[in-house]
Amino acid sequence: TCRDWSSDVCSSDLTALRRIYPRETFTVADALPQSGRCIVVGSDQRAKDFLRHSPPTAPESFAVTTVSDGTRELCVIAGADPRGTVFATSALLKKLGCGFYISGDSLPPPRPGPLTFDDWDLSDRPLVRERLVFNWHNFLSGCSTWNTNHWHSWVRAAGLGGFNGVMVHAYGNNPMAAFSFEGMEKPVGYLSTTVKGRDWSTPHVNDVRRLWGGEVFDSPLFGPDAGMVPDDTRVAAARALMRDAFGAAEARGMDVYFAVDVDTPTANPPELVERLPESARFPIEFPRNKDPKQPKKTLWLPNPDTPQGYAYWKAQVDALMVNYPQIDCLVAWFRAGGTPWTELKPEEMPAAWRREYDAEIAKTPEAKELKWSHNQFAIAKIVRAFRRALDDGGHGNVRLATGSWRFDFVPAADRFMPPGIPLLPLDYEVLHEKSQLRDADSRAVIREAGAHRPMIPVTWAHHDDGHYNGRPYTPFDTFHSRLTDARASGFGIIHWTTRPLDLYFESLSRQTWASSRDEPLASTCAHMASRLFGPDPGAMGSRYLE
């Protein structure tokens, strides 16, 4: 009896069982048979009543047990909630020898005999609330070149891998974050291809087959289908692609996090901002011109504290929610400096803001010395406008967060962001071997903010250098203990390729579940090797992975 699943989730797991036990016939029914073997699946009370012990209660937890019930032999897969049920089915399949990774599945050899429920007992629960996979639109890899089938595969692999949320980011000019204001469409760029949409480490060439190795391509253009459309349909194509991807996540019960730039000129084009009356915007000098002989350039910023300025920010939120109703958490993202809002000077803020900021500093004078103190005060205005826009638009159940690179913004953000707003800092300095999670002292900045609000540090699966081949970073040891010491409510992993990063995802995920808490890397390698390489008496596969 199959409950809580969408049909595609149920079909996927049944396919695995059929591959493992080819001699068996599996059918899905709404009622128990009078006799024989039956797998009971669900989170409702009817499933839990069959358990031989107390049912799971912690969010996303589960129990799998076997029960003799008269002439019936039952395996009961019971989740505390629907999401727990899905994690239970993947955990059972893994115990049967399956491996589910970002880059694909690994199934064990078919079993020649009949199915038995021997040794099917297990239980587990996650140790942190948020466990995100964060794919970044940037390079000609990962989601910059994915089509619908790739998105579905990635979402499914993340869920089967023990994660409960997927996250994407949109630069200010990304067509999937388009909106209109006062009858004008926001200027947007492209989803990157080999001929359009210049982005970091995205090489352009008039025929991709002319590149070394270009013989692997069967056409002159490489990129996502949604990026290879007429210019006047690129917004619609990008929206349709991402709406379908988020729908796949929703079908699996996964949270959808959408991060959108809020502080760059491409996110807030002057053409749109200058449609506001001057009373609803304020001028700053941007970009900063250090040459006194050159004329200064003025850029206008929309003031969310004014009715018209708020309407501008609300238009962005409304467009996102109309096009992506699956969004569970909207993340107001800002850059690590070099933008109008991070370069804003105190004297450039509106007079009312300066008075308000001075009053806040009077309460905590030490906050004035924090990096980006007044900048975080200003960006918090945008965050409050986003919260109001979500509520006014009937999306009060959608969470709101903010994030950026590194951790130096965290103290000021913790001081000025509204209460309860989670912070998602990218652990960027791991690229220079200075991860913020490395020791108790470095984790202090996370720990101090974590005492007041959710903290979700985002680790890096590999280097930010545009090179797509090679091993991932070495996974953290004692990862759950590090998160606990930092008072983090969860974690994310940022990446933009799918191979060969599986070991990184598998290690961090397993370390944050109760049955494999802080699992040593050698144990994870042995676990993966047994699924990827089969029986390995000499442990050669395990040593290779390690």
Side-chain angles (χ1 to χ4, degrees), residues 268-511:
N268 304 290
E271 304 97 305
L272 267 65
V273 177
E274 290 175 13
R275 297 180 77 85
L276 290 167
E278 290 195 13
S279 60
R281 49 188 167 104
F282 59 97
I284 71 165
E285 180 195 348
F286 190 86
R288 302 298 181 194
N289 193 339
K290 299 181 180 180
D291 185 352
K293 297 180 181 179
Q294 296 295 324
K296 295 182 179 180
K297 297 182 180 180
T298 297
L299 183 73
W300 293 87
L301 303 184
N303 185 344
D305 282 357
T306 65
Q308 298 96 329
Y310 165 67
Y312 170 84
W313 293 105
K314 184 175 184 296
Q316 300 189 38
V317 173
D318 288 347
L320 289 173
M321 296 311 303
V322 165
N323 286 287
Y324 312 116
Q326 305 93 345
I327 292 176
D328 296 290
C329 184
L330 183 58
V331 185
W333 198 264
F334 55 92
R335 310 294 295 177
T339 72
W341 290 84
T342 56
E343 297 290 330
L344 179 67
K345 296 178 180 179
E347 61 270 19
E348 292 176 317
M349 295 194 299
W353 290 17
R354 294 197 297 271
R355 291 192 295 270
E356 184 182 345
Y357 175 70
D358 289 342
E360 290 298 317
I361 292 301
K363 299 176 186 176
T364 54
E366 66 279 7
K368 189 173 185 178
E369 303 307 317
L370 297 176
K371 182 175 181 179
W372 288 340
S373 174
H374 65 279
N375 305 98
Q376 288 300 305
F377 169 85
I379 293 174
K381 297 283 189 180
I382 302 175
V383 171
R384 289 185 172 87
F386 270 32
R387 179 72 269 166
R388 179 184 168 192
L390 286 170
D391 295 341
D392 289 351
H395 307 292
N397 61 325
V398 174
R399 290 170 288 149
L400 185 63
T402 189
S404 186
W405 282 258
R406 302 182 179 89
F407 291 76
D408 45 6
F409 77 92
V410 167
D414 182 37
R415 170 61 183 83
F416 292 110
M417 289 293 165
I421 295 293
L423 304 183
L424 284 81
L426 293 180
D427 191 24
Y428 185 82
E429 290 304 316
V430 72
L431 276 59
H432 307 291
E433 301 183 354
K434 295 180 180 178
S435 167
Q436 207 71 43
L437 294 166
R438 64 186 183 275
D439 56 43
D441 289 342
S442 65
R443 292 191 291 267
V445 64
I446 314 173
R447 188 184 311 117
E448 291 165 5
H452 312 132
R453 65 180 68 246
M455 289 293 298
I456 310 174
V458 180
T459 69
W460 293 67
H462 58 154
H463 204 288
D464 186 21
D465 60 2
H467 296 168
Y468 308 136
N469 298 317
R471 68 176 182 85
Y473 279 128
T474 302
F476 294 96
D477 59 1
T478 61
F479 184 60
H480 175 256
S481 294
R482 293 172 191 249
L483 295 177
T484 300
D485 177 68
R487 288 178 173 166
S489 63
F491 71 99
I493 303 175
I494 188 172
H495 70 120
W496 42 86
T497 61
T498 54
R499 289 186 174 88
L501 308 176
D502 297 316
L503 178 58
Y504 192 92
F505 287 90
E506 184 77 355
S507 175
L508 267 56
S509 176
R510 288 178 64 84
Q511 289 192 65

Side-chain angles (χ1 to χ4, degrees), residues 4 123 290 521 527 530:
D4 299 330
S123 62
K290 299 181 180 180
L521 182 59
H527 184 272
S530 68

Side-chain angles (χ1 to χ4, degrees), residues 125-139:
R125 62 183 175 85
L127 300 174
V128 294
R129 291 193 301 274
E130 293 91 7
R131 305 178 306 282
L132 314 177
V133 284
F134 184 3
N135 207 298
W136 191 272
H137 279 279
N138 207 7
F139 309 97

